Amino acid sequence: MDDKVARAERTLSLLTTTFLANTEAVKANISLVLDTVLSQNLFAYIDATGVSVETAKRYTSAVQKWQARINSLVTGKTSETRMAGVLLVKHTALQSPQLLSENVAKWTTSLLGVLGKAEVMPVLIATLQTLLAFIDAVRDVPMFYRDIISAQVPRMNQAILAMVDKNPDLMSQVLEVLDRSATWFPTLFRPSIDKAEALCLRLLDGSDMRNSPELCEQAAKCLAALSLAGGKITAEERWFQCAQQAMGTIQQCIDHMMCTGSDAGEPAQQFALPLLADDFAVSIPQAADRISAMTEVLIALLTQPTHVDIPVPVDGILGIASRLAMVPVRAGSSKNARSEYDLIPLLTPQIQRASIRIMAVLAIALGSHMQPYLSAVARAVTAINTRQVVSPALNVALHCLLQLYIERYGYGFVMHLPYDLVVSTADDICVQQKTKAAKVTMTASESAPSSKKRGGNGKSRGPNTFGVIESAQATHIHWDDTVLAALKTVLALLQHTPTVFTSALRTRVDSQVLTLLMLFAIGGMEMPFASRQSDAPHRALLYRCLEASILSPDPWQKAILPHAVSAFSAGLADPSTAVRDVCAEALVTIDPIIHSRLPAQL
């Protein structure tokens, strides 16, 4: 033990006196110092037992000099030294809980002082991350609550909110710290709620939705955390008010796009956002972006963990999702030839994806509580499936929503769907296209290099009268995300609601799956290079669909079990490991169907 402690003492002394001796040394050697601190546990021997008194004394002295040096670096004159000091303080605290408990008050004060200065961006980012790590480490320790949490957290919130106006590029880090602070310390955050909410709404007016979607998502999560902080009203009332304002803002945007007034007698609650532009060519896309931003708010509210029971206005949220799904249908069937409606098809995928996301998060957040509302969800899905605009991204989102609801609610949801939607889902997995090669004319000289042969009349056959050969039809396959999502939906239908298929449609689905698998097996496909490199997930899903069809057979359909066994056996030689595993599992599953076994004897 003495040798390890002595080695750590020499390393700390060398780093302190040589590599961190002055500003020039810090600039040149900070990477080496950080690598050494991260790779060697230099602070593990504080108060260690089994160490001689002399060695322990030298090690304690080296640690104290190290602390003094990194403290001076945090308050250094140059940005390089302050950056080095912040990083070394962070990693020292993370490696030694004892040093953190002894110095956290001093270090937190120094870091807050860095935030109050005009500093370069990397130093501010490192300071925010270090402060967040310190607060996270001590937030559950009662002994630090009065001196650190209650004294420094409100000051940190005010410093961060004051700093963001001068450094807008720090918005992502600021939102992360505010989100954590409001979640961990809702009572201490109440004095800063109004300023933080104004900051979030500034990002959620729709202007940054296309340029910075991740930033808008962060702002929505922060706003959801603020709604649970309480204040003048309870957390439940504040959450409900925030949800009502988000729904009211979406409704106002829908009314603006459809050039109609509000259906309700009294105007709905809305967030205090800037007015939309006067020019409809600008305002309608702006309204669609604002709808996407408010959708993020609803998603964050529904997925935010809460410490109290929250009454969720399911009727209102689902009504907003249904109205969003119906916007393109209403615009397409309107008798008013308004030029504003010409912009709706351009924004249809964005508007209906917002509706799909709201319905998906309702199923995830509420679970079985959504069962009374499945018919309304089915009507909204039917409106989206009219496909006013052909959008692969929208089709993928719709298939994912169908898969989610089928897996969660089964027949309770499928019974409300029109049969045309099931048929369109089966049609989306039809990807092969027959192509004919050009006719080829072969002459006798091309077909037979040997000497000329005489015909029955003794005359030689001419060189250009041999015949015409037509090549067989080739199958061209192009996989895309829509086909993959449709296969997942068909698999969910076969696993959870197999009787929804009629015999004719079931035969067509099974034939399509078997045809594609056989074409894979014999190599009778012409695929683009990108498809050939990424078709393993599609093959695995095809085999899973075939397995699900075998396990839930149609009594009025011819048995496809022999063909399925051949397809699974061929799949054991597939180059993809995932496909081979699926085929091996399927063969084991269907083996009892082929070879029935006697019941076990007692």
Side-chain angles (χ1 to χ4, degrees), residues 526-541:
E526 293 180 1
M527 292 184 294
F529 177 78
S531 295
R532 293 198 301 272
Q533 304 305 310
S534 59
D535 58 358
H538 300 80
R539 294 201 304 275
L541 274 175

Side-chain angles (χ1 to χ4, degrees), residues 494-576:
L494 289 171
Q495 288 178 338
H496 299 276
T497 59
T499 58
V500 72
F501 294 101
T502 62
S503 296
L505 184 59
R506 181 67 174 271
T507 301
R508 189 166 58 144
V509 171
D510 290 343
S511 300
Q512 176 69 16
V513 171
L514 281 171
T515 300
L516 290 174
L517 290 176
M518 289 179 180
L519 288 172
F520 272 120
I522 65 176
M525 292 185 176
E526 293 180 1
M527 292 184 294
F529 177 78
S531 295
R532 293 198 301 272
Q533 304 305 310
S534 59
D535 58 358
H538 300 80
R539 294 201 304 275
L541 274 175
L542 286 172
Y543 281 115
R544 289 193 179 277
C545 289
L546 184 58
E547 179 187 4
S549 182
I550 293 297
L551 296 178
S552 301
D554 185 0
W556 307 104
Q557 180 188 4
K558 291 183 178 180
I560 61 171
L561 186 58
H563 306 290
V565 173
S566 301
F568 288 131
S569 300
L572 294 176
D574 194 275
S576 172

Side-chain angles (χ1 to χ4, degrees), residues 317-365:
I317 297 176
L318 193 55
I320 286 294
S322 300
R323 285 191 282 273
L324 287 174
M326 291 296 296
V327 166
V329 180
R330 290 172 56 190
S333 60
S334 177
K335 297 180 181 179
N336 296 329
R338 303 182 67 96
S339 56
E340 290 89 340
Y341 290 167
D342 294 337
L343 292 174
I344 300 298
L346 302 177
L347 304 170
T348 293
Q350 181 182 0
I351 297 171
Q352 292 189 334
R353 281 204 308 270
S355 174
I356 290 173
R357 295 188 67 198
I358 292 174
M359 290 185 287
V361 78
L362 282 173
I364 295 172

Side-chain angles (χ1 to χ4, degrees), residues 185-258:
F185 317 106
T187 304
L188 297 177
F189 199 87
R190 289 176 182 175
S192 305
I193 283 182
D194 294 337
K195 291 183 179 179
E197 183 176 343
L199 175 64
C200 294
L201 291 178
R202 193 171 67 191
L203 298 172
L204 293 171
D205 63 350
S207 58
D208 294 327
M209 193 63 208
R210 296 183 184 274
N211 298 329
S212 305
E214 297 84 4
L215 199 60
C216 293
E217 183 179 354
Q218 278 188 300
K221 291 180 179 179
C222 184
L223 187 62
L226 295 177
S227 67
L228 297 173
K232 297 179 181 179
I233 57 179
T234 63
E236 298 94 325
E237 294 173 341
R238 192 175 184 86
W239 189 97
F240 189 83
Q241 181 183 10
C242 186
Q244 291 290 338
Q245 288 175 331
M247 290 188 289
T249 303
I250 293 176
Q251 182 59 52
Q252 187 264 340
C253 293
I254 294 175
D255 294 338
H256 179 80
M257 287 191 292
M258 301 305 299

Side-chain angles (χ1 to χ4, degrees), residues 127-175:
T127 303
L128 288 174
Q129 293 175 349
T130 305
L131 274 173
L132 193 61
F134 285 177
I135 300 299
D136 190 15
V138 304
R139 63 188 175 96
D140 293 328
V141 183
M143 62 179 293
F144 292 119
Y145 190 85
R146 186 182 65 179
D147 297 334
I148 305 300
I149 302 302
S150 61
Q152 302 291 358
V153 168
R155 182 185 170 193
M156 179 187 71
N157 296 333
Q158 296 295 334
I160 291 173
L161 289 171
M163 177 188 63
V164 72
D165 293 331
K166 303 176 183 177
N167 302 275
D169 294 336
L170 286 173
M171 189 66 71
S172 178
Q173 289 76 18
V174 167
L175 289 175

Side-chain angles (χ1 to χ4, degrees), residues 111 123 151 178 232 281 283 307 385 421 499 519 522 541 550 593:
L111 293 174
V123 176
L178 293 177
K232 297 179 181 179
S283 63
H307 56 278
N385 193 56
L421 194 146
T499 58
L519 288 172
I522 65 176
L541 274 175
I550 293 297
I593 302 176

